[in-house]
Amino acid sequence: MDLFDQASVTEHGTPVDSQAPLAVRMRPRTVAEVVGQQHLLGPGQPLRRLIEPESGGAPSSVFLWGPPGIGKTTLAYLVARAGNRRFVELSAVSAGVKDLRAVIEDAKGHLVNYSKETVLFIDEVHRFSKTQQDALLPAVENGWVILIAATTENPSFSVISPLLSRSLLLTLHPLTDKDIDTLVRRALEDERGYGNAVEADEDAIAEIVRLAGNDGRRSLTILEAAVTSNTLTINDVEAAVDVYAVRYDRDGDQHYDVISAFIKSIRGSDVDAAMHYLARMLEAGEDPRFVARRLMISASEDIGMADPSALQTATAAAQSVALVGMPEARIILAQAVVHLATAPKSNRAYLAINKAIADVRAGRIGAVPVHLRDKSVKASKIAAEQTGKDAGYKYPFDYDSGVVSQQYLPDELEGTVYYEPLDRGFEANITSRMARFRAILKGE
């Protein structure tokens, strides 16, 4: 449906239905009302130019990438209002190629017959198949629609390159606690919300901000559930949380809470809890490819070399899920979850790279030892002439043990240990092996 073809709208183009959810009623009507995202909305910034054509911005398709509840849909509305454009919304979850082509044909008609541009807003665009994306490409390329696509996932993983290359990719930032506080207070004061008819304790507002987790929509959902009279206390907010907590199963608002519990259950080796959260996500309509990607991360971050085959399982699961799709993908994900949750755990590879990166960022770098450099034979001869010492590279395969005493780290980092394996699972084998290697490298 074209929102701006409705009769029941305000002068700003927003619905006037008093029964609409608070988050819908409070949707910003102008750039000035938008909270956060000033890196994109400040003077001269890309979205500001698109929303305000008089500032010199040419129509351009846009991918908005960021977490839930930060204003992606709102920004699409504002772009549509600019230049009195039509606004058409499709859900990547339910819309098929036929729906997409119908919208594109309608948009072409309005452009040719009425010189009226159409903003096509696609939510959760990462769920669009390649076929759907291919159908969308000519419309973007020829300017038949101004595509504004919203996604909570990195579009580089799920959107075809030709579509990305013809669009702006803008990253939205999570809202700050101050931003959430502003949204809550505005809803309490504005006539679209409670119009100062509700007296809220400061503790109640602070609790909503804390529970919202930087999600603007969530903050207004909690506020709406908590307001049952003309006063609002922290007890009202706490009572409303029980009502709000079940909503992930219906609309995915607690996306990050559940995925966090899922990963922590795997890390904690509680396979039953992990299976529960997997089921919750799948029943809520979570993208199985997102779950599979998180499993690959967990396999390296939390299991690592304690069971190297865990990453193989997670990677195979991700590939299989992409090929098979739901509902059968649930079986593949379940198998991967069982493997990861029951595997021995080690985060030592994760800690090692973080420690090494911290050193590099702190400037602890140093020159590459002469004998390890490219053209090392020539460099070693020069170094030997200058120092009077043999600085030649020693080829490990020339030695029976396959390891030889030789400096590999820069002088400034000599002796630094980044990787410290645990005596657990397969990594227990590495513990004894590394002890032997390090002794040889030191010349012991």
PDB file of all heavy atoms in Angstrom, residues 223-245:
ATOM      1  N   LEU A 223       7.367   1.475  27.243  1.00  0.00           N
ATOM      2  CA  LEU A 223       6.612   2.587  27.830  1.00  0.00           C
ATOM      3  C   LEU A 223       5.120   2.363  27.663  1.00  0.00           C
ATOM      4  O   LEU A 223       4.340   2.528  28.617  1.00  0.00           O
ATOM      5  CB  LEU A 223       7.030   3.898  27.157  1.00  0.00           C
ATOM      6  CG  LEU A 223       6.224   5.147  27.544  1.00  0.00           C
ATOM      7  CD1 LEU A 223       6.378   5.441  29.038  1.00  0.00           C
ATOM      8  CD2 LEU A 223       6.664   6.352  26.712  1.00  0.00           C
ATOM      9  N   GLU A 224       4.699   1.973  26.475  1.00  0.00           N
ATOM     10  CA  GLU A 224       3.275   1.760  26.215  1.00  0.00           C
ATOM     11  C   GLU A 224       2.706   0.644  27.082  1.00  0.00           C
ATOM     12  O   GLU A 224       1.583   0.744  27.589  1.00  0.00           O
ATOM     13  CB  GLU A 224       3.055   1.450  24.735  1.00  0.00           C
ATOM     14  CG  GLU A 224       1.596   1.399  24.316  1.00  0.00           C
ATOM     15  CD  GLU A 224       1.444   1.310  22.814  1.00  0.00           C
ATOM     16  OE1 GLU A 224       2.356   0.782  22.146  1.00  0.00           O
ATOM     17  OE2 GLU A 224       0.413   1.769  22.305  1.00  0.00           O
ATOM     18  N   ALA A 225       3.503  -0.409  27.268  1.00  0.00           N
ATOM     19  CA  ALA A 225       3.036  -1.518  28.110  1.00  0.00           C
ATOM     20  C   ALA A 225       2.980  -1.129  29.583  1.00  0.00           C
ATOM     21  O   ALA A 225       2.156  -1.647  30.347  1.00  0.00           O
ATOM     22  CB  ALA A 225       3.968  -2.724  27.933  1.00  0.00           C
ATOM     23  N   ALA A 226       3.851  -0.198  29.978  1.00  0.00           N
ATOM     24  CA  ALA A 226       3.951   0.168  31.395  1.00  0.00           C
ATOM     25  C   ALA A 226       2.898   1.182  31.828  1.00  0.00           C
ATOM     26  O   ALA A 226       2.506   1.224  33.002  1.00  0.00           O
ATOM     27  CB  ALA A 226       5.349   0.715  31.697  1.00  0.00           C
ATOM     28  N   VAL A 227       2.422   2.013  30.902  1.00  0.00           N
ATOM     29  CA  VAL A 227       1.462   3.060  31.254  1.00  0.00           C
ATOM     30  C   VAL A 227       0.067   2.458  31.376  1.00  0.00           C
ATOM     31  O   VAL A 227      -0.538   2.056  30.383  1.00  0.00           O
ATOM     32  CB  VAL A 227       1.476   4.192  30.207  1.00  0.00           C
ATOM     33  CG1 VAL A 227       0.324   5.169  30.488  1.00  0.00           C
ATOM     34  CG2 VAL A 227       2.805   4.920  30.223  1.00  0.00           C
ATOM     35  N   THR A 228      -0.417   2.385  32.594  1.00  0.00           N
ATOM     36  CA  THR A 228      -1.767   1.871  32.842  1.00  0.00           C
ATOM     37  C   THR A 228      -2.634   2.884  33.580  1.00  0.00           C
ATOM     38  O   THR A 228      -3.817   2.653  33.805  1.00  0.00           O
ATOM     39  CB  THR A 228      -1.707   0.569  33.664  1.00  0.00           C
ATOM     40  OG1 THR A 228      -1.010   0.814  34.886  1.00  0.00           O
ATOM     41  CG2 THR A 228      -1.001  -0.529  32.874  1.00  0.00           C
ATOM     42  N   SER A 229      -2.028   4.008  33.988  1.00  0.00           N
ATOM     43  CA  SER A 229      -2.764   5.067  34.684  1.00  0.00           C
ATOM     44  C   SER A 229      -2.048   6.382  34.408  1.00  0.00           C
ATOM     45  O   SER A 229      -1.167   6.449  33.544  1.00  0.00           O
ATOM     46  CB  SER A 229      -2.817   4.784  36.199  1.00  0.00           C
ATOM     47  OG  SER A 229      -1.524   4.860  36.762  1.00  0.00           O
ATOM     48  N   ASN A 230      -2.431   7.431  35.142  1.00  0.00           N
ATOM     49  CA  ASN A 230      -1.800   8.734  34.898  1.00  0.00           C
ATOM     50  C   ASN A 230      -0.508   8.918  35.683  1.00  0.00           C
ATOM     51  O   ASN A 230       0.039  10.028  35.760  1.00  0.00           O
ATOM     52  CB  ASN A 230      -2.773   9.878  35.200  1.00  0.00           C
ATOM     53  CG  ASN A 230      -3.251   9.830  36.636  1.00  0.00           C
ATOM     54  OD1 ASN A 230      -2.875   8.946  37.410  1.00  0.00           O
ATOM     55  ND2 ASN A 230      -4.093  10.789  37.003  1.00  0.00           N
ATOM     56  N   THR A 231      -0.024   7.850  36.292  1.00  0.00           N
ATOM     57  CA  THR A 231       1.287   7.874  36.933  1.00  0.00           C
ATOM     58  C   THR A 231       2.092   6.675  36.441  1.00  0.00           C
ATOM     59  O   THR A 231       1.535   5.627  36.114  1.00  0.00           O
ATOM     60  CB  THR A 231       1.187   7.805  38.470  1.00  0.00           C
ATOM     61  OG1 THR A 231       0.535   6.584  38.850  1.00  0.00           O
ATOM     62  CG2 THR A 231       0.416   9.003  39.026  1.00  0.00           C
ATOM     63  N   LEU A 232       3.404   6.846  36.392  1.00  0.00           N
ATOM     64  CA  LEU A 232       4.285   5.776  35.940  1.00  0.00           C
ATOM     65  C   LEU A 232       5.442   5.639  36.921  1.00  0.00           C
ATOM     66  O   LEU A 232       6.219   6.576  37.100  1.00  0.00           O
ATOM     67  CB  LEU A 232       4.826   6.080  34.534  1.00  0.00           C
ATOM     68  CG  LEU A 232       5.791   5.050  33.947  1.00  0.00           C
ATOM     69  CD1 LEU A 232       5.084   3.716  33.724  1.00  0.00           C
ATOM     70  CD2 LEU A 232       6.399   5.560  32.643  1.00  0.00           C
ATOM     71  N   THR A 233       5.544   4.469  37.551  1.00  0.00           N
ATOM     72  CA  THR A 233       6.613   4.211  38.514  1.00  0.00           C
ATOM     73  C   THR A 233       7.510   3.088  38.000  1.00  0.00           C
ATOM     74  O   THR A 233       7.175   2.390  37.035  1.00  0.00           O
ATOM     75  CB  THR A 233       6.037   3.800  39.880  1.00  0.00           C
ATOM     76  OG1 THR A 233       5.414   2.493  39.742  1.00  0.00           O
ATOM     77  CG2 THR A 233       4.997   4.806  40.358  1.00  0.00           C
ATOM     78  N   ILE A 234       8.617   2.904  38.675  1.00  0.00           N
ATOM     79  CA  ILE A 234       9.533   1.834  38.273  1.00  0.00           C
ATOM     80  C   ILE A 234       8.871   0.467  38.452  1.00  0.00           C
ATOM     81  O   ILE A 234       9.155  -0.468  37.708  1.00  0.00           O
ATOM     82  CB  ILE A 234      10.856   1.928  39.078  1.00  0.00           C
ATOM     83  CG1 ILE A 234      11.898   0.983  38.454  1.00  0.00           C
ATOM     84  CG2 ILE A 234      10.629   1.630  40.552  1.00  0.00           C
ATOM     85  CD1 ILE A 234      13.291   1.169  39.017  1.00  0.00           C
ATOM     86  N   ASN A 235       7.950   0.351  39.410  1.00  0.00           N
ATOM     87  CA  ASN A 235       7.222  -0.915  39.585  1.00  0.00           C
ATOM     88  C   ASN A 235       6.357  -1.220  38.367  1.00  0.00           C
ATOM     89  O   ASN A 235       6.218  -2.378  37.959  1.00  0.00           O
ATOM     90  CB  ASN A 235       6.354  -0.850  40.848  1.00  0.00           C
ATOM     91  CG  ASN A 235       7.180  -0.828  42.114  1.00  0.00           C
ATOM     92  OD1 ASN A 235       8.305  -1.332  42.139  1.00  0.00           O
ATOM     93  ND2 ASN A 235       6.640  -0.239  43.172  1.00  0.00           N
ATOM     94  N   ASP A 236       5.764  -0.179  37.773  1.00  0.00           N
ATOM     95  CA  ASP A 236       4.959  -0.366  36.567  1.00  0.00           C
ATOM     96  C   ASP A 236       5.829  -0.877  35.411  1.00  0.00           C
ATOM     97  O   ASP A 236       5.427  -1.760  34.643  1.00  0.00           O
ATOM     98  CB  ASP A 236       4.303   0.952  36.143  1.00  0.00           C
ATOM     99  CG  ASP A 236       3.321   1.470  37.178  1.00  0.00           C
ATOM    100  OD1 ASP A 236       2.622   0.631  37.787  1.00  0.00           O
ATOM    101  OD2 ASP A 236       3.256   2.696  37.373  1.00  0.00           O
ATOM    102  N   VAL A 237       7.032  -0.318  35.316  1.00  0.00           N
ATOM    103  CA  VAL A 237       7.949  -0.721  34.247  1.00  0.00           C
ATOM    104  C   VAL A 237       8.371  -2.175  34.435  1.00  0.00           C
ATOM    105  O   VAL A 237       8.378  -2.972  33.484  1.00  0.00           O
ATOM    106  CB  VAL A 237       9.180   0.204  34.203  1.00  0.00           C
ATOM    107  CG1 VAL A 237      10.188  -0.293  33.170  1.00  0.00           C
ATOM    108  CG2 VAL A 237       8.761   1.636  33.898  1.00  0.00           C
ATOM    109  N   GLU A 238       8.723  -2.526  35.667  1.00  0.00           N
ATOM    110  CA  GLU A 238       9.159  -3.898  35.939  1.00  0.00           C
ATOM    111  C   GLU A 238       8.043  -4.903  35.675  1.00  0.00           C
ATOM    112  O   GLU A 238       8.280  -6.002  35.165  1.00  0.00           O
ATOM    113  CB  GLU A 238       9.650  -4.004  37.377  1.00  0.00           C
ATOM    114  CG  GLU A 238      10.967  -3.254  37.609  1.00  0.00           C
ATOM    115  CD  GLU A 238      11.361  -3.205  39.079  1.00  0.00           C
ATOM    116  OE1 GLU A 238      10.495  -3.528  39.933  1.00  0.00           O
ATOM    117  OE2 GLU A 238      12.511  -2.844  39.369  1.00  0.00           O
ATOM    118  N   ALA A 239       6.809  -4.518  35.997  1.00  0.00           N
ATOM    119  CA  ALA A 239       5.681  -5.415  35.738  1.00  0.00           C
ATOM    120  C   ALA A 239       5.447  -5.575  34.241  1.00  0.00           C
ATOM    121  O   ALA A 239       5.042  -6.645  33.774  1.00  0.00           O
ATOM    122  CB  ALA A 239       4.421  -4.865  36.407  1.00  0.00           C
ATOM    123  N   ALA A 240       5.705  -4.501  33.481  1.00  0.00           N
ATOM    124  CA  ALA A 240       5.480  -4.553  32.033  1.00  0.00           C
ATOM    125  C   ALA A 240       6.509  -5.420  31.329  1.00  0.00           C
ATOM    126  O   ALA A 240       6.235  -5.941  30.243  1.00  0.00           O
ATOM    127  CB  ALA A 240       5.521  -3.141  31.457  1.00  0.00           C
ATOM    128  N   VAL A 241       7.688  -5.590  31.911  1.00  0.00           N
ATOM    129  CA  VAL A 241       8.744  -6.358  31.258  1.00  0.00           C
ATOM    130  C   VAL A 241       8.307  -7.794  31.022  1.00  0.00           C
ATOM    131  O   VAL A 241       8.620  -8.403  30.000  1.00  0.00           O
ATOM    132  CB  VAL A 241      10.042  -6.324  32.092  1.00  0.00           C
ATOM    133  CG1 VAL A 241      11.070  -7.301  31.532  1.00  0.00           C
ATOM    134  CG2 VAL A 241      10.607  -4.923  32.096  1.00  0.00           C
ATOM    135  N   ASP A 242       7.555  -8.365  31.972  1.00  0.00           N
ATOM    136  CA  ASP A 242       7.091  -9.743  31.810  1.00  0.00           C
ATOM    137  C   ASP A 242       6.201  -9.866  30.581  1.00  0.00           C
ATOM    138  O   ASP A 242       6.215 -10.883  29.882  1.00  0.00           O
ATOM    139  CB  ASP A 242       6.313 -10.191  33.051  1.00  0.00           C
ATOM    140  CG  ASP A 242       7.224 -10.365  34.258  1.00  0.00           C
ATOM    141  OD1 ASP A 242       8.427 -10.590  34.034  1.00  0.00           O
ATOM    142  OD2 ASP A 242       6.737 -10.259  35.388  1.00  0.00           O
ATOM    143  N   VAL A 243       5.402  -8.825  30.313  1.00  0.00           N
ATOM    144  CA  VAL A 243       4.545  -8.834  29.138  1.00  0.00           C
ATOM    145  C   VAL A 243       5.393  -8.684  27.882  1.00  0.00           C
ATOM    146  O   VAL A 243       5.212  -9.368  26.889  1.00  0.00           O
ATOM    147  CB  VAL A 243       3.524  -7.672  29.211  1.00  0.00           C
ATOM    148  CG1 VAL A 243       2.699  -7.603  27.937  1.00  0.00           C
ATOM    149  CG2 VAL A 243       2.637  -7.855  30.432  1.00  0.00           C
ATOM    150  N   TYR A 244       6.374  -7.788  27.963  1.00  0.00           N
ATOM    151  CA  TYR A 244       7.192  -7.491  26.796  1.00  0.00           C
ATOM    152  C   TYR A 244       8.112  -8.645  26.437  1.00  0.00           C
ATOM    153  O   TYR A 244       8.400  -8.885  25.265  1.00  0.00           O
ATOM    154  CB  TYR A 244       8.029  -6.240  27.074  1.00  0.00           C
ATOM    155  CG  TYR A 244       8.976  -5.906  25.967  1.00  0.00           C
ATOM    156  CD1 TYR A 244       8.511  -5.343  24.781  1.00  0.00           C
ATOM    157  CD2 TYR A 244      10.330  -6.173  26.076  1.00  0.00           C
ATOM    158  CE1 TYR A 244       9.368  -5.056  23.748  1.00  0.00           C
ATOM    159  CE2 TYR A 244      11.197  -5.891  25.041  1.00  0.00           C
ATOM    160  CZ  TYR A 244      10.714  -5.313  23.886  1.00  0.00           C
ATOM    161  OH  TYR A 244      11.569  -5.051  22.863  1.00  0.00           O
ATOM    162  N   ALA A 245       8.584  -9.381  27.435  1.00  0.00           N
ATOM    163  CA  ALA A 245       9.618 -10.387  27.216  1.00  0.00           C
ATOM    164  C   ALA A 245       9.208 -11.492  26.259  1.00  0.00           C
ATOM    165  O   ALA A 245      10.049 -12.105  25.627  1.00  0.00           O
ATOM    166  CB  ALA A 245      10.034 -10.993  28.549  1.00  0.00           C
TER     167      ALA A 245
END
